[in-house]
Amino acid sequence: MVLEGGTMAATDERRLPLLPRDPPAPLEAPPAARARVPLFDNAKAFLIVFVNPIPFWSGLLAVLKAVVMPSFCLISGHLSTAELTRKRAVQLAQVFTTYVIFELLHHLNNMLSFRLAGFEFDTFPLQVFSPKEQVVTWFLLSLLLWRATLPVLVLLRAPVVCTFVLAHLALFADLGVNYQNLLAFMPYFVCGYYTPPSVWTRLAEWRTRASLAAFFCCACVTLLASSYIGGAGFDLFFERVTLTYACFNGAPPGNAPAACCSFEQLLERAIFYCASFPLIAGFLCVLPRQAGIWSVPGYMSMYVYLLHPFVLFNPFVMKALFTFFSQMYGREVNVWSPATGGGAVALMMPIALLVCVLLSTSASRALFWLLVEPPIERLFSPHRMTRPLPLGQAVSPAGSCAGSSLHASAPPARSSRPSNPL
């Protein structure tokens, strides 16, 4: 240790700890959580309805693929923060715990489904990190990794550009089902994080709102009319959109990864990004901006998202539905020979909506909160949770994640963010 005058201190630096025993006190109090933004809750409420397996015409499906999950990722990014405190570390641990719980539940659900149908199913090893089919838990894993790496991403010179480059290069990597999503949807999360509050204010102006809403409605009507009329042109368009979205999820038709490893698919992924952002803006402009009864599913969006597969696709419900439709159609109805008649399709819509409503109630939270919001904070020392991590203060605090990590509030002002994220 050099002192003034160039002399050396006699202190033996080898005895100094690498990290202080007690972390330093925060320089300033963390920003207070702001009130919830009704637009975000309304958006999540309508989006969670479309996540349910409701039958739509292929034209509308093409729009929903570019809006539903990208919007969820965008909103999640806007409500996230790059400040890594002990409290937020515990929140990330809670997300991870929820992910493991629901992966185990999906494994159990598959085991029961196969065995009740008379098929063999290996109980072990448990399919926690290598599920054989796409499950909804991919979003939890993605959210966990995105928020955990956000403090590093904001240090990059061009974080948004880097995520888009990674998302396109991921096409040529065999990441597999439920893992391709991590990079494919990451640009929406990072773009949401860097979206300033002025953008949401601009979307509330009636001229901007009217023009973007008209654009969104025209796109929906055009694609709906095209799907109704049909033709080789629309069939090819819908086939390419379906393949592009399947490659987003790492689940191409026939589970053939080679179908996504092409420069044609590279171009189509870029087009998908370019088309989805204005469609997302138009979708947000169509929604009401005030809170109401329609906002309730938005408050409970994670409950609906995680629990609806177990209500609709558990083996007992599936067996009852197969028996019912087999009697209705006079033939055996099963997974390999589904019911595609008008009556079956019409019945799916009210059932899916009813499940969405039931899972949005307070009773649902009272019954399943241990699964969706496991109280793992009790495993950690309370007096340590308010101290900053040894890493020190975050480089770019981005917002507020007050409350449960699965139900974030609106972020505070982003004045401390880098001015040029690109």
Side-chain angles (χ1 to χ4, degrees):
M1 182 176 179
V2 181
L3 302 180
E4 290 187 11
T7 60
M8 298 294 295
T11 304
D12 187 0
E13 293 189 358
R14 290 176 297 177
R15 296 181 182 178
L16 294 178
L18 294 178
L19 292 175
R21 294 180 180 179
D22 294 320
L27 298 180
E28 57 182 6
R34 293 177 62 183
R36 300 183 72 100
V37 178
L39 176 62
F40 298 151
D41 290 321
N42 295 340
K44 290 189 292 182
F46 283 89
L47 292 170
I48 203 64
V49 171
F50 294 135
V51 167
N52 282 270
I54 300 177
F56 295 106
W57 277 345
S58 53
L60 187 55
L61 277 176
V63 177
L64 294 180
K65 290 178 186 296
V67 170
V68 177
M69 291 314 300
S71 295
F72 266 120
C73 298
L74 188 83
I75 294 173
S76 298
H78 189 68
L79 299 178
S80 297
T81 174
E83 182 184 1
L84 188 58
T85 62
R86 292 181 182 271
K87 180 178 179 180
R88 288 186 171 86
V90 173
Q91 291 174 348
L92 293 178
Q94 184 188 48
V95 176
F96 177 74
T97 306
T98 305
Y99 168 79
V100 173
I101 289 173
F102 277 89
E103 280 292 333
L104 293 175
L105 290 176
H106 278 287
H107 179 79
L108 178 62
N109 186 69
N110 289 340
M111 182 180 68
L112 291 175
S113 299
F114 273 78
R115 292 187 176 179
L116 288 177
F119 297 96
E120 294 183 358
F121 189 89
D122 295 331
T123 304
F124 298 101
L126 299 175
Q127 300 172 6
V128 178
F129 298 103
S130 58
K132 297 181 180 179
E133 69 283 330
Q134 186 181 4
V135 290
V136 296
T137 48
W138 73 263
F139 183 71
L140 282 180
L141 183 61
S142 298
L143 190 63
L144 169 65
L145 295 180
W146 293 339
R147 286 180 172 173
T149 57
L150 192 56
V152 178
L153 287 174
V154 297
L155 300 178
L156 298 174
R157 293 182 181 272
V160 175
V161 173
C162 287
T163 56
F164 275 107
V165 171
L166 286 174
H168 287 82
L169 293 179
L171 282 169
F172 302 96
D174 186 11
L175 300 179
V177 64
N178 296 310
Y179 290 98
Q180 179 73 221
N181 324 58
L182 299 178
L183 297 179
F185 288 95
M186 193 177 193
Y188 296 107
F189 178 85
V190 177
C191 287
Y193 172 79
Y194 278 108
T195 301
S198 59
V199 171
W200 310 107
T201 304
R202 182 70 180 273
L203 290 178
E205 298 177 0
W206 72 269
R207 292 181 183 273
T208 304
R209 189 177 180 186
S211 58
L212 288 174
F215 165 75
F216 179 77
C217 293
C218 287
C220 292
V221 171
T222 301
L223 290 174
L224 279 172
S226 300
S227 63
Y228 179 77
I229 297 172
F234 177 79
D235 291 341
L236 178 61
F237 164 78
F238 185 71
E239 177 185 350
R240 302 312 302 178
V241 171
T242 303
L243 176 60
T244 300
Y245 192 75
C247 292
F248 260 73
N249 295 286
N255 292 324
C260 300
C261 301
S262 65
F263 289 99
E264 181 182 20
Q265 193 54 230
L266 188 72
L267 177 61
E268 290 178 358
R269 176 166 289 194
I271 295 174
F272 188 93
Y273 285 128
C274 294
S276 64
F277 281 102
L279 286 173
I280 292 172
F283 168 76
L284 295 174
C285 290
V286 172
L287 300 176
R289 303 191 69 87
Q290 295 78 27
I293 191 172
W294 53 82
S295 307
V296 175
Y299 307 146
M300 300 287 291
S301 59
M302 196 58 70
Y303 282 77
V304 181
Y305 180 74
L306 292 175
L307 295 171
H308 82 269
F310 301 102
V311 179
L312 294 173
F313 304 121
N314 73 75
F316 305 103
V317 171
M318 294 294 288
K319 187 174 182 179
L321 288 176
F322 287 154
T323 302
F324 173 77
F325 286 123
S326 296
Q327 295 176 353
M328 176 185 293
Y329 290 100
R331 64 173 178 85
E332 184 179 2
V333 175
N334 51 41
V335 176
W336 298 274
S337 179
T340 57
V345 174
L347 188 61
M348 288 177 61
M349 184 172 295
I351 291 178
L353 291 175
L354 178 62
V355 169
C356 182
V357 172
L358 291 177
L359 293 178
S360 301
T361 60
S362 57
S364 173
R365 190 167 197 171
L367 289 173
F368 303 113
W369 71 273
L370 281 173
L371 301 176
V372 181
E373 301 175 86
I376 66 163
E377 64 275 2
R378 300 179 184 179
L379 300 176
F380 300 87
S381 176
H383 72 276
R384 294 178 179 270
M385 291 183 57
T386 56
R387 298 180 181 178
L389 291 175
L391 295 175
Q393 289 222 315
V395 175
S396 175
S400 174
C401 282
S404 170
S405 60
L406 301 179
H407 306 277
S409 303
R414 276 16 181 227
S415 59
S416 58
R417 289 191 174 184
S419 59
N420 183 18
L422 296 179

